[in-house]
């Protein structure tokens, strides 16, 4: 609140150095400032988060020292000089131009804010991951209890002991649209516990449990860490009914022509035989899937 009050009273902060000079000293608590950096609070000032974390303590210390000297009437040698007047010399600490990896940056956002802000760990691989599952996590809302496979990124991992002395674990599994708590009991934990880690992308096979009005829960029976998700190109499989019309084929040709891309397009005939339409029928599946489902039916078009 004090940081915002200063900004509202005297204008936006121009840089992190300006922030350190102006923000109330009580607000310059190093743990609090570190949290702000990790959450992206200074992104609009064009400072890289990793670079800022490397030097923010020194910047804050210098700013506080200067303030106290000024309160005592002590003036820096260059304090009254502009950058031009001092020959371009500046006493400001340079913020290194180094960035966090996407994984580390998103992990910090999740730790500080409880959610991802700048991106999502599954962005760009969500469809490849979806092909390894039977349902999305949101699908589970309308699903009857039973065995399913879901996938996502782990967070909130908590290992603990039951009253009987057995070790178990719980974690939140989150995909692009939803999340669910997963329980891993002792027998499964003994086999797959080495795979469990926050920010790990996994598929989890197990049992969906629903009781009265209680939130749905999920008991893991198998956990897999998928490999090479970025290298997998989704394919589109279209199930054609017996006696389909030539109009349907013309529509298919038109959609393929309108949305060229990298995903192979295959058709499955009523008898079960699958035909690959070949290298001239590659489509942008994200753009093509909606018109294909409008033409052939939502259940007739699958991403595999």
């Amino acid at each position: 609140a004090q940081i915002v009050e200063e900004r509202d009273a005297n204008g936006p902060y121009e840089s992190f150095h300006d922030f350190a000079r102006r923000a109330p000293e009580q607000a310059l608590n190093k743990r609090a400032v570190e949290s702000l950096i990790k959450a992206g609070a200074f992104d609009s000032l064009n400072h890289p988060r990793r670079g800022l974390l490397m030097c923010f303590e020194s910047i804050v210390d210098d700013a506080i020292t200067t303030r106290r000297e000024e309160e005592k009437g002590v003036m820096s040698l260059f304090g009254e000089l502009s950058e031009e007047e001092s020959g371009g010399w500046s006493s400001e600490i340079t913020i290194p131009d180094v960035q966090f990896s996407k994984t580390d940056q998103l992990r910090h956002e999740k730790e500080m804010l409880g959610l991802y802000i700048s991106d999502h760990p599954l962005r760009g691989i969500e469809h490849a991951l979806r092909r390894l599952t039977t349902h999305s996590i949101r699908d589970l809302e309308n699903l009857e209890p039973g065995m399913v496979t879901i996938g996502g990124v782990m967070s909130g991992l908590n290992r603990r002991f039951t009253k009987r002395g057995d070790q178990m674990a719980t974690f939140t599994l989150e995909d692009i649209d939803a999340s669910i708590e997963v329980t891993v009991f002792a027998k499964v934990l003994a086999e797959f516990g080495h795979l469990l880690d926050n920010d790990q992308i996994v598929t989890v096979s197990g049992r969906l449990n629903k009781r009265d009005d209680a939130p749905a829960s999920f008991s893991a029976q198998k956990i897999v860490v998928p490999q090479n998700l970025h290298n997998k190109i989704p394919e589109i499989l279209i199930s054609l009914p017996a006696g389909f019309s030539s109009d349907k084929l013309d529509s298919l040709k038109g959609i393929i022509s309108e949305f060229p891309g990298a995903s192979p397009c295959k058709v499955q005939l009523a008898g079960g035989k699958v035909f690959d339409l070949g290298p001239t029928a590659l489509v942008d599946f994200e753009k093509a899937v909606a018109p294909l489902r409008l033409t052939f039916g939502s259940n007739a078009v699958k991403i595999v």
Side-chain angles (χ1 to χ4, degrees):
Q2 293 175 319
I3 293 172
V4 175
E5 288 174 4
E6 164 62 25
R7 184 193 64 191
D8 292 344
N10 298 305
Y13 300 108
E14 296 179 0
S15 65
F16 185 80
H17 295 90
D18 187 42
F19 167 80
R21 286 190 291 264
R22 290 171 46 194
E25 190 170 325
Q26 304 94 303
L28 294 177
N29 174 284
K30 290 180 181 177
R31 179 169 293 182
V33 174
E34 179 181 352
S35 298
L36 288 172
I37 294 170
K38 288 181 175 180
F42 301 102
D43 286 5
S44 62
L45 302 177
N46 297 318
H47 297 311
R49 300 183 197 180
R50 185 180 178 189
L52 196 50
L53 281 174
M54 293 169 65
C55 64
F56 82 95
E57 293 188 23
S58 297
I59 295 174
V60 169
D61 287 342
D62 284 359
I64 291 175
T65 298
T66 300
R67 287 188 192 190
R68 292 174 180 172
E69 288 177 347
E70 290 176 350
E71 289 172 1
K72 296 176 181 178
V74 179
M75 188 60 63
S76 166
L77 175 62
F78 294 98
E80 294 295 315
L81 300 179
S82 68
E83 186 171 338
E84 291 79 10
E85 292 170 329
S86 62
W89 184 88
S90 173
S91 61
E92 288 187 349
I93 294 171
T94 300
I95 299 170
D97 187 18
V98 290
Q99 302 280 2
F100 280 120
S101 67
K102 174 181 173 180
T103 300
D104 287 340
Q105 179 160 310
L106 293 177
R107 175 170 51 82
H108 289 152
E109 291 177 1
K110 188 76 169 181
E111 289 173 356
M112 297 301 110
L113 303 170
L115 70 165
Y116 302 112
I117 298 296
S118 60
D119 204 344
H120 194 283
L122 301 182
R123 191 82 61 201
I125 61 171
E126 65 268 35
H127 295 289
L129 180 66
R130 180 69 178 84
R131 299 203 317 276
L132 303 178
T133 68
T134 59
H135 297 81
S136 71
I137 295 176
R138 178 159 289 175
D139 289 341
L140 304 184
E141 296 176 8
N142 303 313
L143 205 63
E144 293 298 315
M147 297 299 297
V148 296
T149 299
I150 54 179
V153 59
M154 294 174 51
S155 64
L157 177 61
N158 179 22
R159 298 175 186 261
R160 60 186 185 273
F161 289 92
T162 66
K163 293 180 180 179
R164 297 175 54 184
D166 298 325
Q167 190 177 42
M168 61 173 291
T170 57
F171 61 86
T172 298
L173 188 69
E174 177 181 342
D175 62 17
I176 290 287
D177 300 311
S179 63
I180 192 170
E181 182 173 281
V182 176
T183 301
V184 187
F185 291 109
K187 184 178 179 181
V188 179
L189 186 63
E191 184 174 358
F192 299 103
H194 64 287
L195 300 177
L196 304 187
D197 196 9
N198 286 323
D199 307 305
Q200 182 73 274
I201 295 172
V202 295
T203 62
V204 184
S205 300
R207 181 171 182 80
L208 173 66
N209 305 301
K210 292 186 175 180
R211 294 182 181 177
D212 301 326
D213 296 329
S217 61
F218 195 87
S219 302
Q221 294 190 6
K222 180 180 179 181
I223 299 168
V224 175
V225 177
Q227 302 298 314
N228 303 317
L229 287 173
H230 288 280
N231 299 332
K232 295 182 180 179
I233 299 175
E235 299 178 356
I236 292 181
L237 178 63
I238 305 165
S239 298
L240 297 178
F244 57 88
S245 66
S246 59
D247 289 344
K248 293 285 188 182
L249 286 182
D250 289 339
S251 297
L252 175 57
K253 291 177 183 177
I255 293 169
I256 291 172
S257 175
E258 185 175 358
F259 304 107
S263 293
C265 196
K266 299 179 179 180
V267 295
Q268 183 172 29
L269 303 181
K273 194 168 185 178
V274 176
F275 292 91
D276 191 330
L277 299 184
T280 60
L282 301 179
V283 298
D284 182 333
F285 79 95
E286 290 186 327
K287 295 179 180 178
V289 69
L292 285 172
R293 284 176 173 164
L294 284 173
T295 303
F296 297 97
S298 59
N299 293 328
V301 180
K302 297 180 180 178
I303 299 171
V304 296

